Structures are given as C-alpha cells and as structure tokens.
Amino acid sequence: MNASLNSIRYRTLAGTVLTQFALGSVYTWSLFNAQLSHKLSEPVSQVAFAFGLLSLALAVASSLAGKLQERFGVRKVAIGAGLLLGLGFYLTSQASNLVMLYLCAGLLVGFADGAGYLMSLSNCVKWFPERKGLISACAIGAYGLGSLGFKFINLALLSRFSLEATFQLWGLIAMAMVLAGALLMTDAPKQAAAAQTQGSRDFTLAESMRQPQYWMLAMMFLTVCMSGLYVIGVAKDIGESFVHLPALTAANAVAVIAVANLSGRLVLGILSDKMPRIRVITLAQIAALAGMLTLLFAPLNATLFFAAIACIAFSFGGTITVYPSLVSDFFGLNNLTKNYGVIYLGFGIGSIVGSIVASLFGGFLATFHLILALLIVSLLFSLIIRQPGAAKAAEENFHAEPHLGKA
C-alpha cells in the first residue's frame, strides 16, 4: 500500500475514533432521568423508556446505514448524523411532555447515533482487512470510552448550567466532534477490502439472508445483547433488591460494568486477530453463561454479584466488538454494513425484550431464565456453525484429489 493510501486510511481511523467517542455519549442518559422526571412530573420509569426507544432507533438506523453510504458516501452521511444529533439534543432540551421526549431523545437522537455508528465502524474495518479485530476494538472501544468521558463532561455541565442548557451544550459538543471526525473519513475502495480476502466471497444481503448461518449468527448476537443490555440497565436494582446490598455498595456495579465492558472490547477484539473469531464468540458466551448461572443459582454476596455482572458485561463488550469482523468472515467485507446492519437489529430488540419479559412475568428471575436458555442454544450454535460453502468446498477438494488404489 502506497504512502498516500496509508495516510488516508489512518486519517479515516482517527476520524472514526473521534466520531465513535461522541456517539457513545448517549450512554450517559441515566444521569438525566431524575431531573427529567421532576421537570415533566412523570415517573422515572417512563422517562427512562426514552433510552429504550433510543436503543431501538439506533439499531434500525444502523440497518439502513449501508444504503445511505452507497448513495451519499461515508463523509456526507456522518455529517448528516452529526447535524441530526445536535438538533435532537436541542429539541430534547425543549421537551415539555413524554411524547416529545420520546420523539426527540428517543427516536431522533437514536436514529442520528445509529446512522453514524455502524457505517463509520464498518467503513474503517474495510480499510484494515489485515487487522479487523484490532480496528474494531479501537473504534468500539472509543464508543465505550465516550460514555465514560461524557459522564464527567455532562456532570460538570449539570453542576453549572440548567438542564435545558446542558442538553444544548452536550449536543453542540457531540455535533462538533462528529463533524470533525466526518471530515477525516474517506470511503474504503472495494479493492482495498478484497485484496486481503482472497478466496472469500462477498454475499449480498439477500444472499446472506438465505443462509442458515446468517440467522444462527443473528440469534447468537441477540442473546448476548439481551443479557448485556438488561443486566447493565438494572444492575444497581439487582444489587439492592435481589442481593440485598446497601445502595452505595450496589452503585459500584456501574463502575464494575464499565471496566469489564471495556476490557471485553479490548481483550476479545485483539484476541480475534489471533484465533478463529467464532471461537472468541464461544469464549464470550461461556463467560456470559457463567455470569447468568451465578446470578441464578449461587448464594450471592457482593463479591459473587460483581463477578457475575462483570462476566456478562465482558461478554457483551467483546461480542459487539468482534461481530463486525465475524460477519465479514462469513459473508465478505464489501457488503458488511448491510449484512451486519440487519443482524444489529438484535441490539435494539434485545434492549427492550428483557424488560418486557420482566414486567410481564414477575421481575428479574423470569428474564434471567430466558437468557440462560437462549445462551445454551447460542453456545451450541457457535460450536456447530460453519462458514457458508465450507462443507461444499471440502467435498470438492476431496473429489479433486487422485484416489489411491485406482488404476
């Protein structure tokens, strides 16, 4: 690769990391639930539902991002996402009722976040086909760090400004970062992706969806997202009401999850360049299974509780880091944004299914048992799945070899 092309791809990496950091800021949403509840005179649970809608809109937008990139290019779509993100936060600051909050903070901000997230990630991975796992870890790690960095930014803003001004300033900062990142990005040429993947085939979305492996991967992704997102969302409540920990002790779950989540992204992302990625997913599933079995059947104390949620957060962070590269292993790099986009809908579905099951069937235990069953099925899938055409190729190679003993 010549120096000019190498410079372009590293600029794209820098722009992607900057953009991902800003987009990850949406995971500080819980900081605003109490003040929004007071402002709107609505229960915290109903205010918090805006984040569930945000996650769902994020996943839907991610599934559409491939078509937008094909038509407009990564830079223009990222610029549009940044502008929409800023507008969404501004309108959120003006929300005077739940419906407006759901539309602005949930659907608008979520759609903007999703439009920029998966598209910029997939484009960056295409520039580095020889180090897909490491690049995914860098980009998605930046997304995770964004939630940590903006926690301090938003807390500082809340301490000095009103709730409305904080939303507006948050939107301006995030928008400026996304726009700056977008200007550094360049679309990865198809030959750059294909050159490093000789012998592999690029499946279109329609072709991928006709393969049973596609739906096995989708099921595995949905399961880990459901376990991670549900436990992350209610970890403090689990600690207080399920493990009977003091409120201050249970609150430490937030820090445990943040460290484990980031560790999973970095460790499993880097490991995925050194061993088959499907085996990395198997390891992640075993970690989640160990965490869920501990929550369900162990005599819980603070140490076991924190270890259990750390296992689940580690699995979740690692899985969403490795999955873009895993999907490209199975279905090719050139259509990755589209092929991964539909699978990524599992993120949005998983974000709300766990809560719905808990509300319908009596709390944490019902969701834990469902997740445990799905994790067992997913683990079996990861052990038996093979890349499309692998068996056929092996059979063709066998018949192509001369058979000993033939005259």
Side-chain angles (χ1 to χ4, degrees), residues 212-223 323 342-343 346:
Q213 292 94 329
Y214 190 81
W215 299 107
M216 292 168 76
L217 290 176
M219 177 66 175
M220 290 153 55
F221 186 75
L222 168 65
T223 299
Y323 240 74
V342 174
I343 289 177

Side-chain angles (χ1 to χ4, degrees), residues 4-157:
S4 176
L5 207 57
N6 210 35
S7 174
I8 291 172
R9 70 175 189 161
Y10 278 104
R11 282 204 307 272
T12 298
L13 173 60
T16 302
V17 167
L18 185 60
T19 296
Q20 294 284 329
F21 187 90
L23 295 177
S25 68
V26 296
Y27 284 89
T28 63
W29 182 258
S30 62
L31 297 175
F32 301 91
N33 282 334
Q35 292 197 39
L36 282 168
S37 173
H38 177 73
K39 175 186 175 181
L40 303 178
S41 300
E42 298 286 356
V44 169
S45 59
Q46 293 193 32
V47 170
F49 184 66
F51 185 73
L53 287 176
L54 186 154
S55 299
L56 184 60
L58 190 158
V60 171
S62 294
S63 70
L64 301 174
K67 290 187 178 295
L68 293 173
Q69 184 184 359
E70 275 187 359
R71 183 167 182 180
F72 301 108
V74 66
R75 183 175 298 174
K76 289 182 179 179
V77 177
I79 288 173
L83 294 172
L84 196 62
L85 189 68
L87 176 64
F89 281 124
Y90 174 78
L91 292 176
T92 298
S93 74
Q94 307 299 309
S96 56
N97 54 63
L98 278 178
V99 173
M100 189 173 178
L101 183 71
Y102 292 161
L103 288 175
C104 300
L107 299 183
L108 193 56
V109 172
F111 191 88
D113 206 271
Y117 167 72
L118 183 55
M119 176 205 61
S120 61
L121 168 65
S122 301
N123 181 69
C124 194
V125 169
K126 291 176 190 177
W127 273 113
F128 296 86
E130 77 284 5
R131 291 199 293 269
K132 292 186 289 187
L134 176 61
I135 296 304
S136 291
C138 289
I140 300 179
Y143 192 84
L145 283 174
S147 65
L148 186 61
F150 269 86
K151 172 188 175 183
F152 297 105
I153 292 171
N154 285 339
L155 282 174
L157 291 174

Side-chain angles (χ1 to χ4, degrees), residues 19 68 95 110 118 144 165 180 184 211 232 251-252 264 268 272 280 304 316 325 327 338 343 377 386 390 395:
T19 296
L68 293 173
L118 183 55
L184 293 171
Q211 304 295 322
I232 288 170
N252 290 327
L268 296 186
S272 72
V280 177
L304 282 176
F316 171 67
S325 301
V327 172
K338 290 181 181 178
I343 289 177
V377 173
R386 296 293 181 269
E395 183 181 349

